[in-house]
Amino acid sequence: MRTSPAIRRKLISVAAVSATLLTVATASVAVAQEPAPQEAAVPAAQTEAAPGTPAERLIVGYKSGAAEAKSNKAADADAATKGKEAGEKLDFQRRLGTGAALVDLGENLTKRDVADVVAEYQADPQVAYVVPDRLNTPQADPNDTDYAKQWDLFEATAGMNVPAAWPTSTGSGVTVAVIDTGYVAHSDLAANIVGGYDFIADTAVSVDGDGRDSNPADPGDWYNANECGSGIPASNSSWHGTHVAGTIAAVTNNSKGMAGIAYGAKISPVRVLGKCGGYDSDIIDAITWASGGTVSGVPANSNVAKVINMSLGGDGACTSATQSAINAAVNRGTTIVVAAGNDNDNVANHSPGNCNNVISVAATNRTGAKASYSNYGSLVDISAPGGQTSTGTANGIYSTLNSGTRTPSTESYAYYQGTSMATPHIAGLAALMKSAKSSLTPAQIESAIKSNARALPGSCSGGCGAGLADAAKTVQAVAGGTSTGTTFSSSSAVSIPDAGSAVESPITVSGRSGNAPSALQVAVDITHTYRGDLVIDLVAPDGSTYRLKSSSSSDSADNVNTTYSVNASGETANGTWKLRVQDTAAQDTGRLNSWSLTF
């Protein structure tokens, strides 16, 4: 008996599916303690307009001899008949140029509903094919003319996998404060610049003729030989803040220049560095103001930043004064990303990369190894492309700049290297994440970046954090993965051979969208008289494994009957998951009685 549409749509369960385990075993699915209706045997790809999105229309091709292949009236009548059989209201829309019929499915159909309709068409011998009217999206690279120079965004070896994150998030709605040298006008950035502030109080450092004011324009930070210390050679203006800002949020798809990582975000330039550098006192006030705190004598910030980029640093321990400002900013909900430093030294010796409550970033080169200059150590949280121009100028990080050697001249672009260049990659990623899920806390942002990083493609001696950040995997992980309480289970018993090979039990998950949750519940029921012998892994659809239980010679208790919580937010929910169990020692046999996944 068919379930009526009204009843069927009340059910949140997914119908029973089966999979082969060795020579036996089926995986059953039960949810919310309601009996699951029989699901039409139609693959998800034939019911979706896009991954996770039920189709709204079907394209139906009839065989040449069928009346429906020539008559719109006949095709309309056939749609009405098949809709009635499936419990839905279908409407013939139009004839395509190929002769196929476009059939509208109505609104708010689930993938199960679509599968019922597809099954009706598939059962008709006069139907040659029936496919969803799929949604297509632009897949081309950005049209920015110099995009090919930005290996750090897209190259498979050591790029940060940024383009694959853009369909999910571009950073819109997020302001990133770049606490740096200020901003020099650039047409490839201007549309994404919002109000900032000049926090340099010492006019000898500011070189703009005044102290603090609301104009964060960068007048240049050049200096003569010995002007910044005995033996320090002369230097031209760096336009450092503008280069950093371009990496984060250069205007993209504007047929010029470069692409920004979070090109939908806004940049608030906050000036703290001038001639010979900048003082902690100014930086502390800048952190406070940028994150929405109050600074005496400075107007309230109307562009509060949820991400702060600090591509700056000095020697020594993180002072209590700086740490206090950082803690307060983080408590206000602002994520702070800082450079580990360029001394090829342990970051523990350099502030603010050694401060708590920050994301400390090391730099990698184009091969994915630690850049020769980058600091390292256990306080590094993550690595990102920082470039290394000693192996070729084009192996640096390309971004917005100015051609002036001292004062501003014409806008330009240039390759730079440094942890200063790596840091905005992570700030940009944080903006993408915050835009995708506004409720994320700074701690959650840091955790997700680390847990979704990939192994460093090259070598690193001394510690380069969790690995090389992966923008797409990280953004997709936080964008999806909310818990619904939906349970998929397998009650097919599987024998576990004594001191033998691992066995696997599959569960096929379908009908979900996005990624698995960050607290996926894995309930396991195993009979075994010495559970310390057992190693248990959860295997995701893409083959990634999550260790649930390791073997232990001291755990002599019987059986495993518990629920594990797994951060599977980096995994697509739909697909075949497996529980893998191995008995690693002799004299005791066991049985996997059942297991389940609760999303």
Side-chain angles (χ1 to χ4, degrees), residues 56-125:
E56 297 180 352
R57 290 169 295 277
L58 296 175
I59 300 172
V60 182
Y62 291 95
K63 294 180 180 178
S64 58
E68 295 86 352
K70 303 174 183 177
S71 166
N72 289 353
K73 184 176 181 180
D76 190 22
D78 189 47
T81 298
K82 287 183 168 57
K84 184 176 181 181
E85 288 295 320
E88 308 295 345
K89 179 175 173 57
L90 308 187
D91 291 308
F92 169 79
Q93 293 292 294
R94 68 177 187 272
R95 185 79 57 180
L96 303 187
T98 59
L102 183 65
V103 177
D104 185 79
L105 300 177
E107 298 180 353
N108 302 320
L109 267 67
T110 66
K111 283 184 282 188
R112 187 195 310 283
D113 299 331
V114 178
D116 289 342
V117 175
V118 170
E120 293 293 336
Y121 275 106
Q122 289 178 334
D124 186 343

Side-chain angles (χ1 to χ4, degrees), residues 180-321:
D180 213 294
T181 65
Y183 164 69
V184 61
H186 200 294
S187 63
D188 210 8
L189 261 173
N192 283 340
I193 298 294
V194 296
Y197 206 81
D198 180 358
F199 274 93
I200 303 178
D202 188 329
T203 55
V205 177
S206 69
V207 298
D208 60 358
D210 54 32
R212 292 183 170 183
D213 58 39
S214 60
N215 181 11
D218 185 351
D221 57 355
W222 64 274
Y223 51 84
N224 294 316
N226 302 311
E227 193 173 4
C228 295
S230 178
I232 296 178
S235 176
N236 291 331
S237 290
S238 67
W239 317 114
H240 189 272
T242 300
H243 197 279
V244 167
T247 298
I248 298 170
V251 179
T252 302
N253 277 318
N254 61 341
S255 299
K256 69 172 294 182
M258 59 172 294
I261 290 173
Y263 61 82
K266 300 300 182 184
I267 296 290
S268 173
V270 183
R271 188 168 181 249
V272 298
L273 302 179
K275 179 171 285 192
C276 303
Y279 289 100
D280 279 356
S281 54
D282 292 340
I283 294 170
I284 287 167
D285 279 351
I287 293 170
T288 303
W289 181 84
S291 60
T294 301
V295 176
S296 178
V298 179
N301 185 2
S302 59
N303 297 296
V304 174
K306 288 304 177 184
V307 180
I308 286 175
N309 186 103
M310 292 201 294
S311 291
L312 49 80
D315 295 338
C318 180
T319 67
S320 298

